[in-house]
Amino acid sequence: HGGGIAVDERLRTSDPDIYAAGDAASFPHPLFGTRLRVEHWANALNGGPAAARAMLGKDVAYDRVPYFFSDQYDLGMEYSGWAPPGSYDQVVIRGDAGKREFIAFWMKEGRVLAGMNVNVWDVTDPIQHLIRTKAQVDTEALADPRVPLDTLAS
């Protein structure tokens, strides 16, 4: 997906002595079952040390949940996961989209594929936990801001 330098789960190219990480690397993501290229500095920040550990012979499988953020004037957004068009069957909104304070969750068969928080903070970890566990989630509870996100998946 998106070109880039093809690497394996250890961020190694087809030449066993050459590794690639960050924006340039296209790696097989075990959580999503496809090859991903994440063009955000957070991927470079985390991929570089993972490639270094692999070069040192450590057991490495690069499987971080894709993440990016953007601030546009008074609007701050953070996105975790991967939900390309056609991969999801429902979008659940938690909060007030009209006030631009909400979280959107892209779902497939009751499981969270991705989440984007807009002007709602300190929720990246629980969103990524929902994605990583692949747990089926009660969408009514997911949409209810009174229900803590960290209680929705085991």
Side-chain angles (χ1 to χ4, degrees):
H1 289 298
I5 301 167
V7 296
D8 64 15
E9 67 282 349
R10 297 174 47 96
L11 302 175
R12 184 176 43 209
T13 67
S14 58
D15 182 321
D17 295 326
I18 299 176
Y19 293 74
D23 295 8
S26 170
F27 61 98
H29 201 293
L31 187 60
F32 299 104
T34 192
R35 183 169 286 282
L36 293 181
R37 181 175 178 204
V38 180
E39 297 183 59
H40 188 268
W41 66 265
N43 190 41
L45 178 74
N46 297 303
R53 286 191 300 276
M55 287 178 218
L56 294 170
K58 305 288 183 190
D59 189 22
V60 172
Y62 192 67
D63 66 351
R64 293 189 65 93
V65 172
Y67 167 86
F68 75 84
F69 75 89
S70 182
D71 292 320
Q72 307 291 322
Y73 301 99
D74 64 338
L75 190 73
M77 301 168 281
E78 294 178 302
Y79 179 93
S80 293
W82 188 66
S87 69
Y88 54 91
D89 55 24
Q90 182 179 18
V91 176
V92 173
I93 302 296
R94 176 186 183 103
D96 190 334
K99 290 184 179 177
R100 299 177 358 156
E101 293 180 3
F102 66 95
I103 306 171
F105 295 95
W106 286 264
M107 313 284 295
K108 175 74 173 199
E109 297 172 357
R111 292 175 174 85
V112 177
L113 299 176
M116 182 176 73
N117 45 307
V118 178
N119 288 338
V120 175
W121 306 111
D122 301 320
V123 293
T124 299
D125 288 343
I127 290 171
Q128 289 193 4
H129 180 73
L130 288 169
I131 295 165
R132 187 169 288 288
T133 62
K134 297 184 178 184
Q136 285 204 303
V137 178
D138 178 328
T139 55
E140 286 185 27
L142 185 63
D144 188 344
R146 298 169 298 185
V147 178
L149 288 175
D150 59 4
T151 64
L152 296 174
S154 53

